[in-house]
Amino acid sequence: MNAVTVREGRAASALEDGLTEGQWLARLLPGAVVVRAFSHIQDELLVSRARKTPGVWAVAYATDATAERSRIEQVIADTGYAPVFAGSLAQSSILDPGGAAFPRLLTRAELRGLVTVNRLPEMLERFNTGALADVLHEQVRWVFPYGPTIGVPDVFEGRQAVAEHLARVARSGVRISAIRTKLESPQGAVVNARASFPTPRGVVSSSIVSIVTVRDGLIGEVREYWDTAAIR
């Protein structure tokens, strides 16, 4: 079942912030293999859609028991749904009330896109450790519409060019935090964050708004906006 409440007219998890339904269930059943699945499809559609069009729609699942994944996926496939791995129980908020997949009926490609979008904060956090190249698409584009105003090209194209630029920025002391997503879709999301920039007059903090597009499970394009006047 879902621990569900309503906030501002929308379904939301009734659990404490940061705790997923899967983690909560695992606490209640210590020693058990817990799998979170089927929860993001409305119950009145769950059986009928699988019977009418088997294999078309997808079910996302999450578990810490990675050794059991093949068995879990077979069970899901046997019900008439295409399985999509959403990650560990700690990463399964996408399946909970208020999550990007709840309550939605999606194809495998759409659900895989949403899973990637759900991980965008974790992926973008790699900027601070210099490991962001691992999650960039080979043909990624990183666009800075206001970049020329502070001497930065307005676009970098290709994984190598983007990774090299972001590495230079990270080495300069720029750091990002408070990364969160809005308007999630299978194609991407709007990402809000805070950034600290070293300047001659000290460290300046500024908000960043990025429109992120995902491609093949990776970051495909980023259009990044920040307060250039504040960081000159």
Side-chain angles (χ1 to χ4, degrees):
M1 300 299 292
N2 290 305
V4 62
T5 187
V6 177
R7 295 195 185 101
E8 298 179 357
R10 298 184 61 187
S13 174
L15 302 177
E16 63 188 77
D17 288 345
L19 182 66
T20 69
E21 307 255 350
Q23 289 174 305
W24 174 73
L25 185 59
R27 290 181 184 180
L28 296 179
L29 302 170
V33 173
V34 174
V35 182
R36 178 82 166 146
F38 297 101
S39 61
H40 63 88
I41 298 177
Q42 293 170 286
D43 54 358
E44 62 268 28
L45 300 179
L46 196 58
V47 175
S48 63
R49 292 301 182 268
R51 286 179 173 171
K52 185 176 181 179
T53 50
V56 170
W57 305 107
V59 160
Y61 72 95
T63 185
D64 294 338
T66 55
E68 300 289 342
R69 282 186 55 187
S70 60
R71 188 158 66 100
I72 295 165
E73 293 193 358
Q74 187 60 57
V75 170
I76 293 172
D78 287 346
T79 68
Y81 285 97
V84 172
F85 183 51
S88 67
L89 295 177
Q91 297 172 314
S92 64
S93 62
I94 187 175
L95 310 180
D96 296 346
F102 184 97
R104 300 180 68 180
L105 198 62
L106 301 160
T107 66
R108 174 179 281 177
E110 291 170 336
L111 197 47
R112 282 176 171 170
L114 271 185
V115 167
T116 300
V117 168
N118 188 59
R119 293 178 181 165
L120 278 177
E122 169 193 330
M123 295 165 74
L124 292 170
E125 184 70 34
R126 292 168 175 250
F127 167 80
N128 293 328
T129 61
L132 191 56
D134 297 342
V135 294
L136 299 178
H137 193 275
E138 183 66 33
Q139 298 174 347
V140 64
R141 299 177 78 249
W142 208 288
V143 183
F144 301 96
Y146 301 126
T149 64
I150 56 170
V152 176
D154 60 350
V155 62
F156 291 86
E157 298 193 62
R159 180 186 294 157
Q160 183 174 345
V162 169
E164 289 175 352
H165 169 71
L166 295 178
R168 287 192 296 269
V169 174
R171 287 195 298 269
S172 74
V174 176
R175 294 293 181 269
I176 58 174
S177 61
I179 306 168
R180 58 199 184 282
T181 60
K182 295 173 61 178
L183 304 177
E184 299 94 342
S185 78
Q187 291 75 43
V190 175
V191 179
N192 293 329
R194 297 292 300 177
S196 58
F197 298 87
T199 72
R201 63 184 185 279
V203 176
V204 174
S205 179
S206 174
S207 60
I208 296 179
V209 177
S210 302
I211 301 172
V212 181
T213 302
V214 301
R215 182 176 178 183
D216 302 329
L218 299 169
I219 296 173
E221 181 177 276
V222 177
R223 299 185 66 86
E224 190 170 292
Y225 302 84
W226 68 92
D227 186 356
T228 55
I231 63 176
R232 286 177 185 169

